[in-house]
């Protein structure tokens, strides 16, 4: 029975997928969407060129295209788009997925046939798989076993082994958005942040209304739109149309023969894209929305300020632009109209190249699992569970953990890979390797209505306990530039394929650098207009540096400094993969040098400020300590003036008295002065201390009953072996009287 396609019901949406997934970090390249029938005259094919997506009848094309010939195209361009986007691209016979795991595309129908698994790849024309590539893993059992062993830390409360505190920061917003650019400027964005609120509008997130289902997604995006599907047991991929995918999800869970997962459906250019808006923070900091040129005026500024002046000195300062422009009209080979047309054409090309990774729809069957990965280009992620449930397993991106991860991913030692070069680790599970090295793996449960922000570089896996629909997206921002560049270099070292990297990442970084320099130029212009030549150029530059350092946190400026160093390396590169991403109207060498010089001055200014702050804090502590001492001395002086010491002479019945130079300096005292007592006897020295302390306690030198000298009026303690006398009175009694006789002692 012939199936006829009604073009009126086919939505005109693009089928080009983004390079990688929000959750898995990979996706397939764009593929032709064909709606057809067994009859060639009823077959239609859709153009894969960006912003075209028009449907064409196969029999009217030259040469005619049939369902059989259409299947040989990887991307198909209609006659109108071929002059601008190049000819159509045919599939390779041995086409296979070249991601981190180097897995192959498979036919899930053949997976149910044991005989098909033994067929060689050559017999299946690259579509089938060898037996070693279809090793099925029960990830649910693996996770449960390690959970029982206590391998996973609670991400909500557990402390990181590095001492950085809790792995996950939880923000339960009380009616206002707390996770803003101001919050990140102060606290940074180095740990996952979970919004437990059930009201997504509090963080600026817009979502479809109630009664939204998988079937609604297919209708809005297009039922004939093809998307990549991942088989959980093998972690291999195939392609389904969205209508086929919805039919699969509508099957009861017990009747499903395979557990499948869709995580690469980018929908920003479809009707669904108008129903979903990213969270406020993601929109505010996203480099794609903030720095990618949007108008011909932006391109003209790039040409004027950072233009390709290869015939001139690339080190010319931007401040000399006015001098270089004198008489420029005579040197122009193009009229303003032609220049405007060129800029318009260039802008059109840039709009086609703009990375579209901000909106993904993830539809997962119960039991789905996405193996450990890092999102492409070190991008950050926003992730909202519309319905269902997700369980994340996080690993902090320390240098040690990233090294373990890269070796695990590239040596074929992942549990989903098999066939690796290290046979002893053929079934290695990344958490086992991390915990064996002393690291931590954190488990975080994400429920319906909750939103998660994942920082750049965090290694994570995701398990789906029940059917789930998730809206998410990726974004590159200034608060993690160093980590993003680290992941970019790691992907290059791991030889990740071009189709599985962040699209036009290097070109985006050049525009980011230009945007930063543009802010410098705008500030310089405002300074020049404001002071009307009162300050010198050097003075204005210093003021601009101070304003930039005041606007951006230290970690952001250090990130731009790392970017400047990376751009200098790119500008010297001769590799085609790098030079192809140089913006057409930009002198990249000049941009790299100027950004490096500017950030060097900013970082130096931060260093001076840090020293000044430390010196100021040290001086404040010193002054505070000095003030405390002065106040204490003043307080003691006031007390001594308010309460003058009243000293009474100590009378002793002893007829002897010490010499004048050895007497206590209290007038009338007949006691010896003591060393280290400021010329006082011990009794009067204690009395002085008591009066000066301000404790308002009258000093009484008389010993307690039974311990004083037995001479009346003597207030000293009796000494042992002195027969009840103090030492002075005992000596006096020895001089005046003889010792008791033996008979008297006997009596």
């Amino acid at each position: 029975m012939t199936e006829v396609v009604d073009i009126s019901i086919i939505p005109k949406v693009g089928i080009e997928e983004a390079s990688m997934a929000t959750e898995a970090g990979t996706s397939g390249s764009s593929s032709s969407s064909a709606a057809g029938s067994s009859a060639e005259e009823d077959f239609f094919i859709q153009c894969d060129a960006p912003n075209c997506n028009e449907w064409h009848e196969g029999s009217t094309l030259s040469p005619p295209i049939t369902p059989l010939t259409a299947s040989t195209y990887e991307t198909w361009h209609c006659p109108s788009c071929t002059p601008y986007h190049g000819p159509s691209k045919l599939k390779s016979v041995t086409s296979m997925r070249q991601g981190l795991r180097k897995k192959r595309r498979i036919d899930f129908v053949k997976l149910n046939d044991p005989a098909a698994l033994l067929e060689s790849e050559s017999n299946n024309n690259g579509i089938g798989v060898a037996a070693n590539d279809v090793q099925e893993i029960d990830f649910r059992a693996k996770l449960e076993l390690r959970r029982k062993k206590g391998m996973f830390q609670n991400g909500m409360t557990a402390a990181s082994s590095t001492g950085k505190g809790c792995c996950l920061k939880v923000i339960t917003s009380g009616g206002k958005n707390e996770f803003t650019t101001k919050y990140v400027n102060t606290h940074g964005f180095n740990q996952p942040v979970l919004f437990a609120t059930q009201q997504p509008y509090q963080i600026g997130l817009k979502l479809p209304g109630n009664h939204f289902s998988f079937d609604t997604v297919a209708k809005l995006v297009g039922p004939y739109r093809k998307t990549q599907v991942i088989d959980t047991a093998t972690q291999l991929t195939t392609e389904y149309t969205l209508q086929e995918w919805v039919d699969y999800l509508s099957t009861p869970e017990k009747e499903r023969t395979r557990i499948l997962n869709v995580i690469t459906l980018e929908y920003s250019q479809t009707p669904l894209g108008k129903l979903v808006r990213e969270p406020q923070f993601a929109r505010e900091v996203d480099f794609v929305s903030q720095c990618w040129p949007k108008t011909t005026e932006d391109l003209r500024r790039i040409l004027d300020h950072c233009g390709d002046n290869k015939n001139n000195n690339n080190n010319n300062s931007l401040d000399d632009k006015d001098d270089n422009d004198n008489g420029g009209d005579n040197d122009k080979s193009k009229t303003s109209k032609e220049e405007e047309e060129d800029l318009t054409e260039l802008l059109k090309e840039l709009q086609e190249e703009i990375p579209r990774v901000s909106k993904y729809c993830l539809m997962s069957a119960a039991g789905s699992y996405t193996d450990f990965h890092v999102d492409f280009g070190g991008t950050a992620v926003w992730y909202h569970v519309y319905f269902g449930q997700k369980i994340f397993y996080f690993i902090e991106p320390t240098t040690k953990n990233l090294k373990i991860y890269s070796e695990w991913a590239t040596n074929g030692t992942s549990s989903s890979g098999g066939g690796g070069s290290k046979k002893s680790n053929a079934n290695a599970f990344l958490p086992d390797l991390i915990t064996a090295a002393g690291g931590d793996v954190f488990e975080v449960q994400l429920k319906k209505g909750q939103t998660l922000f994942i920082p750049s570089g965090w290694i994570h896996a995701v398990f789906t306990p029940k059917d789930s629909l998730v809206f998410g997206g990726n974004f590159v921002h200034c608060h993690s530039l160093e980590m993003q560049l680290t992941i970019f270099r790691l992907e290059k070292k791991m030889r990740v394929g071009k189709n599985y990297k962040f699209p036009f990442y290097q070109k985006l970084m050049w525009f980011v650098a230009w945007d930063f320099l543009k802010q410098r130029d705008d500030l310089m212009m405002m300074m020049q207009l404001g002071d009307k030549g009162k300050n010198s150029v050097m003075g204005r530059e210093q003021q601009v540096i101070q304003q930039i350092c005041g606007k951006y946190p230290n970690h952001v400026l250090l990130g731009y400094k790392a970017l400047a160093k990376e751009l200098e390396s790119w500008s010297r590169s001769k590799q085609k993969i790098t030079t192809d991403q140089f913006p057409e109207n930009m002198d990249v060498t000049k941009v790299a040098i100027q950004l490096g010089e500017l950030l060097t001055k900013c970082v130096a200014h931060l260093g001076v400020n840090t020293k000044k702050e430390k010196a100021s804090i040290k001086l404040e502590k010193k002054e505070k300590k000095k003030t405390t001492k002065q106040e204490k001395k003043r307080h003691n002086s006031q007390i001594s003036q308010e309460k003058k010491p009243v000293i009474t002479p100590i009378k002793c019945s002893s007829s002897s008295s010490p010499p004048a130079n050895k007497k206590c300096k209290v007038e009338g005292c007949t006691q010896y002065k003591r060393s280290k007592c400021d010329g006082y006897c011990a009794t009067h020295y204690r009395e002085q201390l008591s009066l000066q302390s301000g404790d308002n306690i009258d000093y009484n030198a008389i010993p307690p009953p039974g311990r004083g000298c037995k001479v009346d009026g003597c207030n000293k303690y009796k000494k042992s072996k002195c027969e009840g006398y103090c030492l002075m009175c005992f000596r006096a009694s020895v001089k005046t009287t003889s010792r008791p006789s033996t008979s008297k002692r006997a009596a």
Side-chain angles (χ1 to χ4, degrees):
M1 182 177 181
T2 302
E3 180 183 357
V4 180
V5 177
D6 184 358
I7 301 181
S8 63
I9 66 171
I10 299 177
K12 295 182 178 180
V13 295
I15 54 86
E16 180 173 311
E17 297 287 337
S19 295
M20 298 185 71
T22 300
E23 185 175 324
T26 58
S27 76
S29 59
S30 59
S31 57
S32 60
S33 293
S37 65
S38 58
E40 295 181 4
E41 63 273 11
D42 294 330
F43 176 76
F44 289 85
I45 187 169
Q46 187 183 26
C47 179
D48 288 335
N51 302 324
C52 178
N53 308 315
E54 292 293 337
W55 290 86
H56 299 268
E57 188 175 355
S59 59
T60 62
L61 298 171
S62 179
I65 295 181
T66 64
L68 180 60
T69 57
S71 63
T72 62
Y73 286 105
E74 183 176 347
T75 56
W76 181 80
H77 295 159
C78 65
S80 300
C81 294
T82 299
Y84 302 99
H85 301 282
S88 304
K89 183 178 179 182
L90 294 173
K91 290 182 180 179
S92 173
V93 176
T94 58
S95 177
M96 61 183 68
R97 182 185 175 203
Q98 296 292 336
L100 296 181
R101 307 290 185 272
K102 300 184 183 299
K103 302 178 186 62
R104 299 163 176 80
R105 295 174 57 197
I106 62 174
D107 185 344
F108 286 106
V109 176
K110 293 185 178 182
L111 282 178
N112 295 322
D113 181 8
L117 301 181
L118 301 178
E119 296 180 10
S120 64
E121 294 179 66
S122 59
N123 292 337
N124 290 323
N125 296 325
I127 299 177
V129 290
N132 290 338
D133 295 319
V134 204
Q135 179 182 5
E136 298 195 7
I137 305 295
D138 188 354
F139 288 100
R140 187 196 295 265
K142 275 181 171 287
L143 296 172
E144 187 61 31
L145 177 62
R146 285 152 182 79
R147 185 182 294 108
K148 290 180 179 179
K149 291 182 178 181
M151 180 180 293
F152 302 137
Q153 306 292 331
N154 183 359
M156 307 292 288
T157 58
S160 171
S161 60
T162 58
K164 294 183 179 179
C166 185
C167 167
L168 190 74
K169 295 180 179 179
V170 183
I171 299 180
T172 54
S173 184
K176 63 178 181 179
N177 183 10
E178 298 178 14
F179 191 66
T180 60
T181 306
K182 182 178 179 181
Y183 175 91
V184 176
N185 285 341
T186 305
H187 300 88
F189 181 31
N190 299 321
Q191 295 173 303
V193 177
L194 173 65
F195 268 88
T197 176
Q198 298 293 324
Q199 298 173 331
Y201 68 86
Q202 293 178 355
I203 57 175
L205 176 61
K206 177 184 176 182
L207 295 169
N210 298 329
H211 310 295
F212 195 85
S213 62
F214 299 122
D215 186 59
T216 314
V217 173
K219 291 179 179 178
L220 292 174
V221 178
Y224 297 101
R225 168 87 171 263
K226 287 189 176 181
T227 184
Q228 295 237 342
V229 177
I230 299 178
D231 176 71
T232 294
T234 61
Q235 292 291 289
L236 303 178
T237 62
T238 187
E239 282 187 348
Y240 276 23
T241 65
L242 285 182
Q243 187 58 54
E244 292 173 339
W245 174 246
V246 171
D247 293 340
Y248 162 79
L249 289 177
S250 62
T251 305
E253 182 179 344
K254 295 181 180 180
E255 298 180 11
R256 298 170 186 169
T257 57
R258 313 294 301 178
I259 300 177
L260 307 181
N261 196 7
V262 167
I263 54 180
T264 64
L265 183 61
E266 208 282 330
Y267 60 89
S268 59
Q269 300 301 300
T270 71
L272 178 58
K274 298 180 181 179
L275 300 179
V276 180
R277 184 179 60 189
E278 309 94 306
Q280 178 183 353
F281 172 71
R283 297 196 308 272
E284 288 178 349
V285 301
D286 186 16
F287 277 153
V288 176
S289 61
Q290 300 296 327
C291 303
W292 196 274
K294 300 178 181 63
T295 63
T296 55
E297 184 63 29
D298 292 338
L299 295 179
R300 186 176 290 105
R301 289 197 63 176
I302 296 176
L303 184 61
D304 292 341
H305 289 234
C306 310
D308 189 0
N309 300 322
K310 294 181 180 179
N311 296 327
N312 300 327
N313 184 5
N314 288 341
N315 295 328
N316 288 341
S317 173
L318 295 181
D319 300 325
D320 300 331
K321 183 180 76 68
D322 295 335
D323 297 334
N324 295 333
D325 287 343
N326 292 334
D329 293 337
N330 297 329
D331 298 332
K332 290 183 178 179
S333 59
K334 293 184 179 181
T335 64
S336 58
K337 183 178 180 180
E338 291 175 339
E339 182 182 349
E340 187 68 25
E341 291 177 353
D342 291 343
L343 292 176
T344 303
E345 185 65 25
L346 179 58
L347 181 64
K348 183 179 179 181
E349 293 178 3
L350 287 174
Q351 291 304 310
E352 293 175 354
E353 294 177 346
I354 186 170
R356 304 190 188 279
V357 296
S358 61
K359 294 181 180 180
Y360 282 100
C361 181
L362 297 88
M363 297 175 283
S364 307
S368 298
Y369 174 79
T370 305
D371 212 349
F372 284 92
H373 63 278
V374 177
D375 286 283
F376 53 73
T379 52
V381 178
W382 67 272
Y383 195 95
H384 178 83
V385 179
Y386 188 81
F387 63 74
Q389 184 181 358
K390 293 282 185 175
I391 301 178
F392 278 80
Y393 298 91
F394 284 115
I395 299 174
E396 190 174 1
T398 62
T399 303
K400 186 177 182 180
N401 289 344
L402 286 175
K403 182 179 179 181
I404 296 173
Y405 163 74
S406 62
E407 292 176 352
W408 169 82
T410 55
N411 291 333
T413 60
S414 68
S415 39
S416 59
S421 59
K422 295 184 179 180
K423 296 182 179 179
S424 59
N425 289 332
N427 293 321
F429 195 43
L430 184 60
D432 299 341
L433 304 177
I434 294 294
T435 53
D440 293 326
V441 181
F442 299 95
E443 183 181 59
V444 177
Q445 293 192 13
L446 202 61
K447 301 178 182 179
K448 175 183 177 181
Q450 295 182 340
T451 306
L452 179 69
F453 290 88
I454 306 175
S456 299
W458 277 72
I459 309 165
H460 58 283
V462 188
F463 180 75
T464 308
K466 54 184 178 181
D467 290 357
S468 301
L469 175 62
V470 172
F471 294 106
N474 297 60
F475 57 98
V476 188
H477 58 95
C478 63
H479 296 279
S480 300
L481 267 174
E482 290 184 276
M483 177 57 69
Q484 291 161 15
L485 293 171
T486 298
I487 300 302
F488 174 81
R489 290 190 292 269
L490 184 65
E491 290 178 343
K492 187 176 181 180
K493 182 179 179 181
M494 296 167 65
R495 298 184 179 180
V496 177
K498 178 182 177 181
N499 292 336
Y500 306 99
K501 293 181 179 180
F502 189 98
F504 299 101
Y505 179 83
Q506 290 178 295
K507 181 172 287 190
L508 174 62
M509 291 299 105
W510 286 113
F511 288 134
V512 169
W514 164 72
D515 183 75
F516 195 86
L517 291 174
K518 182 182 68 173
Q519 296 182 51
R520 188 273 306 266
D521 296 340
D522 291 342
L523 288 173
M524 284 289 292
M525 186 175 296
M526 292 175 61
M527 291 274 184
Q528 188 174 3
L529 295 176
D531 59 21
K532 296 181 180 180
K534 296 179 181 178
N535 295 324
S536 63
V537 175
M538 293 296 294
R540 290 196 295 269
E541 286 182 352
Q542 187 62 30
Q543 293 179 23
V544 168
I545 290 173
Q546 292 177 358
Q547 289 193 24
I548 291 175
C549 292
K551 178 180 179 181
Y552 293 100
N554 292 1
H555 68 271
V556 172
L557 292 175
L558 293 175
Y560 275 108
K561 176 67 174 176
L563 175 62
K565 184 178 180 180
E566 194 74 21
L567 292 181
E568 290 181 9
S569 174
W570 294 351
S571 66
R572 296 190 298 267
S573 176
K574 302 299 182 181
Q575 295 181 355
K576 191 173 185 297
I577 191 174
T578 300
T579 57
D580 282 351
Q581 294 203 37
F582 288 168
E584 187 174 334
N585 58 336
M586 181 185 294
D587 185 346
V588 294
T589 303
K590 179 187 291 187
V591 172
I593 292 175
Q594 290 183 352
L595 185 67
E597 292 175 350
L598 176 60
L599 267 301
T600 299
K601 295 177 182 178
C602 290
V603 172
H605 180 76
L606 290 178
V608 172
N609 285 348
T610 303
K611 291 180 180 179
K612 288 183 178 179
E613 290 175 1
K614 289 182 179 179
S616 177
I617 293 173
K618 187 176 181 179
L619 182 62
E620 287 180 3
K621 290 183 178 180
K622 188 176 181 180
E623 291 293 335
K624 187 176 181 180
K625 188 176 181 180
K626 184 178 180 180
T627 304
T628 303
K629 287 183 177 180
Q630 291 177 350
E631 290 179 352
K632 187 175 181 180
K633 187 176 181 180
R634 193 181 302 111
H635 177 70
N636 293 339
S637 176
Q638 291 177 355
I639 292 176
S640 62
Q641 291 178 1
E642 292 175 358
K643 186 175 181 179
K644 295 181 180 180
V646 180
I647 303 176
T648 56
I650 301 175
K651 296 180 180 181
C652 181
S653 60
S654 173
S655 58
S656 65
S657 61
N661 61 341
K662 294 184 179 181
K663 276 187 179 182
C664 174
K665 66 181 180 179
V666 176
E667 187 178 355
C669 180
T670 57
Q671 301 294 314
Y672 278 86
K673 64 182 179 182
R674 303 295 296 272
S675 61
K676 300 181 181 180
C677 289
D678 297 335
Y680 293 100
C681 63
T683 302
H684 286 134
Y685 182 68
R686 294 192 194 104
E687 187 175 3
Q688 282 280 16
L689 294 179
S690 177
L691 293 173
Q692 291 178 4
S693 64
D695 53 8
N696 298 325
I697 299 176
D698 292 334
Y699 181 78
N700 189 355
I702 300 175
R707 298 189 61 187
C709 178
K710 65 182 181 180
V711 176
D712 292 339
C714 181
N715 57 357
K716 296 185 69 64
Y717 282 83
K718 64 182 179 180
K719 291 288 186 178
S720 61
K721 299 181 181 181
C722 289
E723 300 180 357
Y725 293 96
C726 67
L727 185 60
M728 295 296 295
C729 293
F730 181 71
R731 290 173 180 168
S733 65
V734 169
K735 290 182 180 181
T736 55
T737 61
S738 60
R739 288 182 178 275
S741 61
T742 305
S743 60
K744 187 176 181 180
R745 288 180 184 175

